[in-house]
Amino acid sequence: MFDVTRYAKAADSIIEAGRFLYQRGWSPATSSNYSARLDEQHIAITVSGRHKGDLGSGDVMVVDLAGNPVQSSSRSSAETRLHTVLYELFPEVGAVVHTHSVKATVLSRLVSAGHSLILEGYELQKAFSGVDTHESTLTIPVFNNSQDIDALAEKTKQWFASHPGQPGYLIRGHGLYTWGETMKDCLRHVEAFEFLFECELEAMRVRP
Amino acid sequence: MFDVTRYAKAADSIIEAGRFLYQRGWSPATSSNYSARLDEQHIAITVSGRHKGDLGSGDVMVVDLAGNPVQSSSRSSAETRLHTVLYELFPEVGAVVHTHSVKATVLSRLVSAGHSLILEGYELQKAFSGVDTHESTLTIPVFNNSQDIDALAEKTKQWFASHPGQPGYLIRGHGLYTWGETMKDCLRHVEAFEFLFECELEAMRVRP
Amino acid sequence: MFDVTRYAKAADSIIEAGRFLYQRGWSPATSSNYSARLDEQHIAITVSGRHKGDLGSGDVMVVDLAGNPVQSSSRSSAETRLHTVLYELFPEVGAVVHTHSVKATVLSRLVSAGHSLILEGYELQKAFSGVDTHESTLTIPVFNNSQDIDALAEKTKQWFASHPGQPGYLIRGHGLYTWGETMKDCLRHVEAFEFLFECELEAMRVRP
Amino acid sequence: MFDVTRYAKAADSIIEAGRFLYQRGWSPATSSNYSARLDEQHIAITVSGRHKGDLGSGDVMVVDLAGNPVQSSSRSSAETRLHTVLYELFPEVGAVVHTHSVKATVLSRLVSAGHSLILEGYELQKAFSGVDTHESTLTIPVFNNSQDIDALAEKTKQWFASHPGQPGYLIRGHGLYTWGETMKDCLRHVEAFEFLFECELEAMRVRP
């Protein structure tokens, strides 16, 4: 059993996040999924296949950390397990956002298999929780895309269990996952990632 | 004779589509045309030469599938026949949208004569109706532009008669045609195409 | 003496044009100037140095075709003479718009001295009044920038006297001039030019 | 002691500037800081770490020119000293804005250590106060980023003491500082800089 007021607040934060992320062009064509924690066992998460710029109260449901619907006959995002492993791994995480931007998609296809995207020397790295200098290095792993979500979820869980300080990851040709203590932190992370992705791509566009 | 209420609803969907597509920059300078099916014999379609971001009730008319105006003295888009062949070919199609974006224009000029644009490895391919994995391959034919619309319409009809599963086509230096069961599906397809076009162009911009 | 109602309508069309052009990013930082014809001897034109996204009734004045203020103590744009030569040359012209976009600026610096920008093979060329096929060729001359506006105005007048069918010109490192029978035509021309400039630049960005 | 009405007006100008600059994408993810002069000894400045698109009355505080809070228990931006040296140096300066755009970030990383960004031949250079021809040359120094703000502030103060006519500077991988007699002038300068940065980058993107 989950607290209904917590669900209502989590759903509101997800609906508002969708408006922001769709309007920025980071969740086009019914792609993406978002979640927010209710308690140790439950999260609110978007129902599969909805238009993210126009979410309503029927588009957010509750699942437990195994990904099973709770008090709902809707079907949650096919990628629900990618969200729940993060809540399992990090008790302080309160929100997870997955977006599908052009920049994340293109960059993720440029990084070779087995390599990570390295971000360094940017003042904006300080936008990530826990980072207080541009002299830090961020390592953003790129996982191969797969329709076998359980296997992919397991890979991400293992990677972040040994790299808990890194703020997100990419799936090749697919998009970005990032998280935070609150939805507000989470959206700041998305905004910082998109800024840094654009910087990286722009540097490649103008490279002599 | 067509059902007037169906016409009114189709016209509303076209007017709203125009606001969306113009605002995105995909229907500039009175370009583009949109249609929606009324029944087996009739479609609603934009009147020639109107500003697509500011369509009103006088800017959508009815034609039969041969392209003749019905109960109207207006002139429909010069490209009406490109719409009607799709309704003839695919009984399930309810809406057809033709847009003129920079990306569609530039990409269509980069593909060599007789070749198609190939899209593969993108999660967002799943935004197209009937596609359920990023491991699919989309083949988007590029037809040479022509002011002889009947001849061009016949070419597109023949191509799609033998490739019914593909979601759209380009005309060189001109723009995109795509369709769907509903106008909502159709707009999701436009949004997915524009995303994928931008990914393809961005990959070329940063290519070493 | 000019008709006051014509002035009021012309001023409204200029104020509205400014909101549109500033919002698109084509008239940044108090740059640009716009005019509309009142009669054979008078035009309404923007006062020098105003923010184009926020024009008010005090920001549009009247000048005669020699560029002298009429019933006003304001100072019109330093480039007033570039407007008036077009009204002198083309009796059917009702509006002239000068914009400062990044694309016009960059493209104009890429064209060699003494050369023109050539646009061909684009369906969107049909957005220009009098063009009815993508098989046309548009020749857009690029004049060197100068703070000697009278000399520059004379050069443009001579060029267009012998090329009356071309829809606009560029000043190097500076911007675009275009015109039309009405302000609506004029803004459609700006939109078409910006589309075509972006196509040309994008083709250069992705060129192998 | 400072004048409270001046504080209230300065705070309003800062809040409005934040909405504009965030909406343009130049102050993402709680980055950036803005200030406005109250008198010879005091400025209003943004509190550290706030979302710049949504500043409220609690997000602007007063500091003296040494950077000490006045009648406030809030903490001002870590970069406060970069603002106050400009007010010390230039008695006519009424507002200072620091932004974090992608373009400023990328360009600042492309300029070699010890070099400046040179801007010339652009009509839009006239948007900077005191510049009246495109034949001028603007020299924009690029300082290495540092978390030692006092040392960085001293370097900027020395440079501008000997180059008082230049309108701003970059910090590598970090962003832009610019200023003006009023906040309106200051925002016109930001807009002109962003235009010129985009022109410079675009010229590099299309360079053969």
Side-chain angles (χ1 to χ4, degrees):
Chain A
M1 302 279 286
F2 57 86
D3 183 288
V4 173
T5 298
R6 284 193 188 174
Y7 160 72
K9 289 186 178 175
D12 277 356
S13 76
I14 286 171
I15 289 168
E16 199 179 334
R19 272 197 294 263
F20 172 73
L21 295 167
Y22 177 79
Q23 182 268 329
R24 288 296 189 94
W26 301 335
S27 291
T30 76
S31 70
S32 304
N33 36 74
Y34 323 130
S35 66
R37 187 194 288 274
L38 304 185
D39 56 39
E40 285 178 26
Q41 300 300 328
H42 300 93
I43 63 170
I45 191 164
T46 41
V47 173
S48 180
R50 301 299 162 87
H51 186 300
K52 298 308 181 296
D54 195 30
L55 294 173
S57 51
D59 300 323
V60 180
M61 60 185 293
V62 178
V63 299
D64 61 26
L65 290 199
N68 302 309
V70 177
Q71 296 174 235
S72 171
S73 57
S74 296
R75 190 165 62 88
S76 69
S77 164
E79 297 178 28
T80 297
R81 187 70 187 135
L82 293 172
H83 289 248
T84 58
V85 293
L86 293 162
Y87 292 104
E88 286 173 355
L89 200 58
F90 300 126
E92 73 280 14
V93 164
V96 176
V97 161
H98 169 47
T99 47
H100 284 226
S101 74
V102 166
K103 289 162 199 157
T105 300
V106 173
L107 258 186
S108 68
R109 288 164 65 110
L110 292 171
V111 174
S112 312
H115 287 73
S116 294
L117 175 68
I118 304 299
L119 300 168
E120 52 192 357
Y122 293 106
E123 181 73 10
L124 214 83
Q125 293 169 217
K126 291 162 68 177
F128 294 106
S129 301
V131 177
D132 58 9
T133 169
H134 68 281
E135 290 163 358
S136 61
T137 295
L138 299 179
T139 301
I140 313 303
V142 181
F143 297 99
N144 285 327
N145 197 11
S146 170
Q147 302 300 323
D148 180 348
I149 294 300
D150 283 348
L152 182 53
E154 189 53 32
K155 282 185 198 168
T156 64
K157 192 176 183 179
Q158 285 178 19
W159 198 91
F160 282 95
S162 54
H163 302 79
Q166 299 302 326
Y169 66 86
L170 292 167
I171 308 176
R172 198 181 313 283
H174 183 152
L176 169 73
Y177 269 84
T178 188
W179 47 88
E181 291 190 28
T182 65
M183 183 60 82
K184 195 177 158 187
D185 291 325
C186 202
L187 295 179
R188 191 182 69 244
H189 291 174
V190 176
E191 205 170 5
F193 267 125
E194 287 293 328
F195 180 97
L196 295 168
F197 293 163
E198 172 67 5
C199 287
E200 290 286 301
L201 288 167
E202 180 70 357
M204 290 188 230
R205 287 180 208 130
V206 302
R207 202 164 38 189
Chain B
M1 301 280 284
F2 58 85
D3 183 285
V4 173
T5 299
R6 284 193 188 173
Y7 161 71
K9 289 186 179 175
D12 277 357
S13 75
I14 286 171
I15 289 168
E16 199 180 333
R19 272 197 295 262
F20 172 72
L21 295 166
Y22 177 79
Q23 181 269 329
R24 287 295 189 94
W26 300 335
S27 291
T30 77
S31 70
S32 305
N33 37 73
Y34 323 130
S35 66
R37 187 195 287 273
L38 304 185
D39 56 41
E40 286 178 24
Q41 300 300 327
H42 301 92
I43 63 170
I45 190 164
T46 42
V47 173
S48 179
R50 301 298 162 86
H51 186 300
K52 297 308 181 296
D54 196 29
L55 294 173
S57 51
D59 300 323
V60 180
M61 60 185 292
V62 178
V63 298
D64 62 25
L65 290 200
N68 302 309
V70 177
Q71 296 173 234
S72 171
S73 59
S74 296
R75 190 164 60 88
S76 68
S77 164
E79 297 178 28
T80 296
R81 187 70 187 136
L82 293 173
H83 290 248
T84 58
V85 292
L86 293 162
Y87 292 104
E88 286 172 355
L89 200 57
F90 301 126
E92 73 280 13
V93 163
V96 175
V97 161
H98 168 47
T99 48
H100 283 227
S101 74
V102 166
K103 288 161 200 158
T105 300
V106 173
L107 258 186
S108 69
R109 287 164 66 110
L110 292 172
V111 174
S112 312
H115 287 73
S116 294
L117 175 68
I118 305 298
L119 300 168
E120 50 192 358
Y122 293 106
E123 181 73 9
L124 214 83
Q125 293 169 218
K126 291 162 68 178
F128 293 106
S129 300
V131 177
D132 59 8
T133 169
H134 68 281
E135 290 163 358
S136 61
T137 294
L138 299 179
T139 301
I140 312 302
V142 181
F143 297 99
N144 284 327
N145 197 11
S146 170
Q147 301 301 320
D148 180 347
I149 295 299
D150 285 346
L152 182 53
E154 190 54 32
K155 282 185 199 167
T156 64
K157 191 176 183 180
Q158 284 178 19
W159 199 91
F160 283 95
S162 54
H163 303 79
Q166 299 301 326
Y169 65 86
L170 292 167
I171 307 176
R172 198 181 312 286
H174 183 153
L176 168 73
Y177 270 84
T178 188
W179 46 88
E181 290 189 29
T182 65
M183 184 60 83
K184 196 177 156 187
D185 291 326
C186 201
L187 296 178
R188 191 182 67 245
H189 292 175
V190 176
E191 205 170 6
F193 268 124
E194 288 293 328
F195 180 96
L196 295 168
F197 293 163
E198 173 66 5
C199 287
E200 290 287 301
L201 288 167
E202 181 70 358
M204 291 188 229
R205 288 179 207 130
V206 302
R207 201 163 40 189
Chain C
M1 302 280 283
F2 57 85
D3 183 287
V4 174
T5 299
R6 284 194 189 173
Y7 160 71
K9 288 185 178 175
D12 277 356
S13 75
I14 286 171
I15 289 169
E16 199 179 333
R19 272 198 294 262
F20 171 73
L21 295 166
Y22 177 79
Q23 181 268 328
R24 287 294 189 95
W26 301 335
S27 291
T30 77
S31 70
S32 305
N33 36 75
Y34 323 130
S35 65
R37 188 194 287 272
L38 304 185
D39 56 40
E40 284 178 26
Q41 300 299 329
H42 300 92
I43 62 170
I45 190 165
T46 42
V47 173
S48 181
R50 301 301 162 87
H51 187 300
K52 297 309 180 296
D54 195 29
L55 294 173
S57 51
D59 300 323
V60 180
M61 61 185 293
V62 178
V63 299
D64 62 26
L65 291 200
N68 302 310
V70 177
Q71 297 174 234
S72 171
S73 58
S74 296
R75 189 164 61 88
S76 68
S77 164
E79 297 178 27
T80 297
R81 187 69 187 135
L82 293 172
H83 290 247
T84 58
V85 292
L86 292 163
Y87 291 103
E88 286 172 355
L89 200 57
F90 301 126
E92 73 280 14
V93 164
V96 176
V97 162
H98 168 46
T99 48
H100 284 227
S101 74
V102 166
K103 287 162 200 158
T105 300
V106 173
L107 258 186
S108 69
R109 287 164 66 110
L110 292 171
V111 174
S112 312
H115 287 71
S116 294
L117 175 67
I118 305 298
L119 300 168
E120 50 192 358
Y122 294 106
E123 181 74 9
L124 214 83
Q125 293 169 218
K126 291 161 68 177
F128 293 107
S129 301
V131 176
D132 58 9
T133 170
H134 68 282
E135 290 163 358
S136 61
T137 295
L138 299 179
T139 302
I140 313 302
V142 182
F143 298 99
N144 285 327
N145 197 11
S146 170
Q147 302 300 321
D148 180 347
I149 295 299
D150 285 347
L152 182 54
E154 190 53 33
K155 282 185 197 166
T156 64
K157 191 175 183 180
Q158 285 178 18
W159 198 91
F160 283 95
S162 53
H163 303 78
Q166 299 302 325
Y169 66 85
L170 293 166
I171 308 176
R172 198 181 312 284
H174 182 152
L176 168 74
Y177 269 84
T178 189
W179 46 88
E181 291 190 29
T182 65
M183 184 60 83
K184 196 177 157 187
D185 291 327
C186 202
L187 295 178
R188 191 182 68 245
H189 291 175
V190 176
E191 205 171 7
F193 268 125
E194 288 294 328
F195 180 96
L196 295 168
F197 293 163
E198 172 66 6
C199 287
E200 290 287 301
L201 288 166
E202 180 70 357
M204 291 187 229
R205 288 179 207 130
V206 302
R207 201 163 40 190
Chain D
M1 300 281 284
F2 58 85
D3 183 285
V4 172
T5 299
R6 285 192 187 175
Y7 160 71
K9 289 186 177 176
D12 278 356
S13 75
I14 286 171
I15 289 168
E16 200 180 333
R19 272 197 294 262
F20 171 73
L21 295 166
Y22 177 79
Q23 182 268 329
R24 288 296 190 93
W26 301 335
S27 291
T30 77
S31 70
S32 304
N33 37 75
Y34 324 129
S35 65
R37 187 194 286 274
L38 304 185
D39 57 40
E40 286 178 26
Q41 300 299 327
H42 301 91
I43 62 170
I45 190 165
T46 41
V47 173
S48 180
R50 301 299 163 88
H51 186 300
K52 298 308 181 296
D54 195 30
L55 293 173
S57 51
D59 300 323
V60 180
M61 61 185 292
V62 178
V63 298
D64 62 26
L65 291 200
N68 302 310
V70 178
Q71 297 174 233
S72 170
S73 58
S74 296
R75 188 164 62 88
S76 70
S77 164
E79 297 178 28
T80 296
R81 188 69 187 135
L82 293 173
H83 290 248
T84 59
V85 291
L86 292 163
Y87 291 104
E88 286 172 355
L89 200 57
F90 301 126
E92 73 280 14
V93 163
V96 176
V97 161
H98 169 46
T99 47
H100 284 227
S101 74
V102 166
K103 288 162 200 158
T105 300
V106 173
L107 257 186
S108 69
R109 287 164 66 111
L110 292 172
V111 174
S112 313
H115 287 72
S116 294
L117 175 68
I118 304 298
L119 299 168
E120 51 192 359
Y122 294 106
E123 181 74 9
L124 214 84
Q125 292 170 216
K126 292 162 67 177
F128 293 107
S129 300
V131 176
D132 58 8
T133 169
H134 68 282
E135 289 162 0
S136 61
T137 294
L138 299 179
T139 301
I140 313 303
V142 181
F143 297 98
N144 285 326
N145 197 11
S146 170
Q147 302 299 321
D148 180 347
I149 294 300
D150 284 347
L152 181 53
E154 190 54 33
K155 282 186 197 166
T156 64
K157 190 176 185 180
Q158 285 178 18
W159 198 90
F160 282 95
S162 53
H163 303 79
Q166 299 301 326
Y169 65 86
L170 293 166
I171 308 176
R172 197 181 313 284
H174 182 153
L176 168 73
Y177 269 84
T178 189
W179 46 88
E181 291 189 29
T182 65
M183 183 61 81
K184 196 177 155 188
D185 291 327
C186 201
L187 295 179
R188 192 182 67 244
H189 291 175
V190 176
E191 204 171 6
F193 267 125
E194 288 293 329
F195 179 96
L196 296 167
F197 293 163
E198 172 67 5
C199 287
E200 291 286 301
L201 288 167
E202 180 69 359
M204 291 188 229
R205 288 178 208 132
V206 301
R207 203 163 38 190

